[in-house]
Amino acid sequence: MATFLKRKATVVALAALSLTLAGGGIAAAAHPAAKAPAEVGQPGARQAGQQPPVTAAETRSAKAAMRATLAAPAPGLVAWAVVSSNGTLLQHSANVVSASRFAPSLPGQFAGQYQVTLDYAVNLKGLHATIGTNDAANVPPAGEVSVAPRYLIANAVFVQTRSSSGGYADRPFHLLIAN
């Protein structure tokens, strides 16, 4: 008789546990805070991460830069650039040819979008950017930065800077291209 009660108590305990877990799962699914991370989002309105369209002038300029004088840095070395918030190339390594800021008044272009052109293909290199300045105090403004190979231009890098709330904003940045 004692073993029968032990088995019955075990079954009842497991049934209660499974109902509790099932009820908790249903309650958690109904609760808005339990949504998947992709559905929750970050504070502030995020805009789509599209690159501006490539113009014929950009293509010609990039091809001319590929025919420049220097060869790509050896593996293990880096190319680098310091770019101001208005797109001016402040400091750079020898392989960096130019930097520019896209005009936010044109279709498909927003504040905080930049292009940095080099004299070698960077589409398979390691890219890193950080918000930064070259002033004496070197205290950069708050914000975010992302970097990617430039769409359809093998020797250019696209940089997007944002405010801390995620909106498009012009920010100075430092760029590293690891070879």
Side-chain angles (χ1 to χ4, degrees):
M1 181 83 171
T3 58
F4 174 75
L5 290 177
K6 278 187 180 178
R7 289 183 191 161
K8 190 172 183 180
T10 304
V11 169
V12 169
L14 288 175
L17 179 63
S18 64
L19 287 174
T20 303
L21 292 176
I26 292 170
H31 192 272
K35 289 184 179 177
E39 296 173 1
V40 174
Q42 292 185 1
R46 282 270 185 207
Q47 297 91 1
Q50 299 289 330
Q51 292 188 20
V54 177
T55 64
E58 287 175 336
T59 303
R60 283 191 301 274
S61 173
K63 286 181 180 178
M66 288 283 271
R67 294 186 292 268
T69 59
L70 298 175
L77 298 179
V78 296
W80 57 272
V82 178
V83 180
S84 71
S85 60
N86 67 2
T88 303
L89 192 58
L90 300 173
Q91 299 172 331
H92 60 91
S93 63
N95 293 98
V96 178
V97 175
S98 66
S100 61
R101 180 175 63 94
F102 289 100
S105 59
L106 297 175
Q109 298 180 8
F110 302 96
Q113 293 183 328
Y114 304 87
Q115 177 174 307
V116 178
T117 307
L118 291 89
D119 62 1
Y120 65 96
V122 296
N123 52 352
L124 296 177
K125 307 297 183 190
L127 306 173
H128 177 76
T130 185
I131 300 290
T133 65
N134 73 337
D135 64 359
N138 200 19
V139 178
E144 304 170 5
V145 62
S146 57
V147 61
R150 180 72 168 111
Y151 179 67
L152 297 177
I153 302 178
N155 61 320
V157 174
F158 175 75
V159 178
Q160 172 69 65
T161 61
R162 299 176 186 269
S163 66
S164 293
S165 63
Y168 293 125
D170 293 331
R171 298 283 191 259
F173 61 91
H174 297 184
L175 174 68
L176 291 174
I177 298 101
N179 295 290

